Amino acid sequence: QVQLVASGGGLVQAGGSLRLSCVASGSIGSLISMGWYRQAPGKARELVARVFTGGSTIYADSVKGRFTISRDNAKNTLYLQMNSLKPEDTGVYYCKGTQAWSGIWGQGTQVTVSS
């Protein structure tokens, strides 16, 4: 079983930066990808960024050039560096680990960007 614990959210002004972390434990060798998703109030959860075992990444168009996803295998930690934050980036951010047969969600961390 895999457990994911996210942290790093907070309140920041527009234009500011935050770095989210997600520490994985358990059977992390079974993960084929890890990613960050977010859910704004009244909206569906959406993909923000995802990194695959081979190192390839994908980003939502809305965050390209501003957010960077990375993975430190030695620390079993996934990061999301968020720069040039906008009010529309506000939401609860979740990390997710994907196995061949299922996905595992961590708890969310709130990001609030004030204008």
Side-chain angles (χ1 to χ4, degrees):
Q1 190 61 278
V2 175
Q3 296 82 41
L4 302 171
V5 179
S7 62
L11 173 64
V12 64
Q13 289 188 330
S17 298
L18 282 174
R19 188 177 79 157
L20 305 183
S21 300
C22 177
V23 179
S25 60
S27 303
I28 59 176
S30 64
L31 298 177
I32 59 175
S33 73
M34 294 185 72
W36 290 97
Y37 294 71
R38 67 187 179 191
Q39 188 165 18
K43 295 188 176 181
R45 193 172 299 186
E46 62 176 1
L47 171 69
V48 176
R50 192 173 176 187
V51 58
F52 295 84
T53 303
S56 60
T57 57
I58 57 174
Y59 293 89
D61 288 343
S62 60
V63 307
K64 284 180 180 177
R66 300 188 298 123
F67 291 11
T68 302
I69 190 170
S70 62
R71 184 173 175 177
D72 186 333
N73 292 326
K75 296 182 178 179
N76 295 333
T77 302
L78 178 74
Y79 299 101
L80 184 68
Q81 178 66 44
M82 305 186 293
N83 299 327
S84 302
L85 282 161
K86 303 175 181 180
E88 51 264 44
D89 294 319
T90 294
V92 180
Y93 283 68
Y94 300 89
C95 63
K96 180 183 179 183
T98 302
Q99 299 170 311
W101 56 90
S102 67
I104 302 98
W105 292 95
Q107 94 290 1
T109 184
Q110 176 71 44
V111 171
T112 303
V113 184
S114 63
S115 57

